[in-house]
Amino acid sequence: YQQIARAKITRQRILPLMRSMADSLETFVVLDLPFHQQERIGAVLALKQRLDNPGLSVSARFRLLLAAYQIEQRYGDTVEAWRGPLSLEGEEVSVEYLRLGRAALFYQSLDRERSGYWDTVQQDWVALDTHYNRSLSRAMRVARNESAPQLLELPLQYTGDGL
């Protein structure tokens, strides 16, 4: 009887904790570098709905939560390049993005003439000097596995927060 009572108390405590963890994950995604935003926020919202499903066991809900955290964690360990739209100065431009873990997010226009990076302090895109265009283009080829890894000159933003 005591084990059942303890299990009920644990369940009553763990569910709010899991909701809080899902809320924290949502906040993290919103404040993170803006890559795959709709997909990532949609995944967190779907997770929150599934966590509220009374038909799922606590362990199943916890597995879903851990899987979502693992997906987000992997973004910090990977390099990725992809094409997509970007609104620059009121104009919709097709660009190629380059994400270096969670350290940097770059874009380059498909004609390779304009490049920039996401400034985490300003929360906006900042144009790069044109002398970075070639290095950024090479880095994107490396990210797509079209070129062997190599040392590249790319700017990284220092936020001064000591992290």
Side-chain angles (χ1 to χ4, degrees), residues 23-162:
D23 289 342
S24 295
L25 184 61
E26 181 180 16
T27 300
F28 177 80
V29 169
V30 168
L31 296 176
D32 194 21
L33 293 174
F35 63 93
H36 308 306
Q37 283 296 90
Q38 291 178 336
E39 173 188 318
R40 293 168 63 213
I41 290 171
V44 172
L45 294 177
L47 167 70
K48 290 171 85 171
Q49 284 181 336
R50 294 189 73 191
L51 290 178
D52 288 337
N53 180 351
L56 284 178
S57 68
V58 173
S59 60
R61 294 179 205 194
F62 194 67
R63 279 192 299 274
L64 290 171
L65 185 62
L66 285 181
Y69 267 83
Q70 287 173 336
I71 289 167
E72 284 298 321
Q73 182 272 328
R74 274 187 239 123
Y75 285 127
D77 299 337
T78 57
V79 174
E80 176 185 26
W82 72 97
R83 286 187 178 180
L86 177 63
S87 180
L88 286 174
E89 302 163 5
E91 175 189 359
E92 191 81 8
V93 181
S94 290
V95 300
E96 188 160 12
Y97 292 96
L98 174 68
R99 180 183 54 77
L100 303 176
R102 285 202 157 78
L105 182 62
F106 298 94
Y107 75 85
Q108 187 170 69
S109 61
L110 298 183
D111 64 6
R112 307 288 184 232
E113 296 296 317
R114 297 193 304 183
S115 299
Y117 68 95
W118 180 257
D119 187 307
T120 57
V121 175
Q122 296 179 39
Q123 292 292 295
D124 202 4
W125 293 102
V126 175
L128 280 173
D129 189 273
T130 57
H131 87 270
Y132 288 111
N133 287 354
R134 181 172 283 148
S135 287
L136 190 53
S137 182
R138 282 194 307 250
M140 288 180 182
R141 284 194 303 277
V142 169
R144 290 189 309 265
N145 292 317
E146 296 172 359
S147 178
Q150 55 190 292
L151 186 60
L152 301 165
E153 178 190 348
L154 292 173
L156 289 179
Q157 182 180 16
Y158 173 71
T159 60
D161 60 8

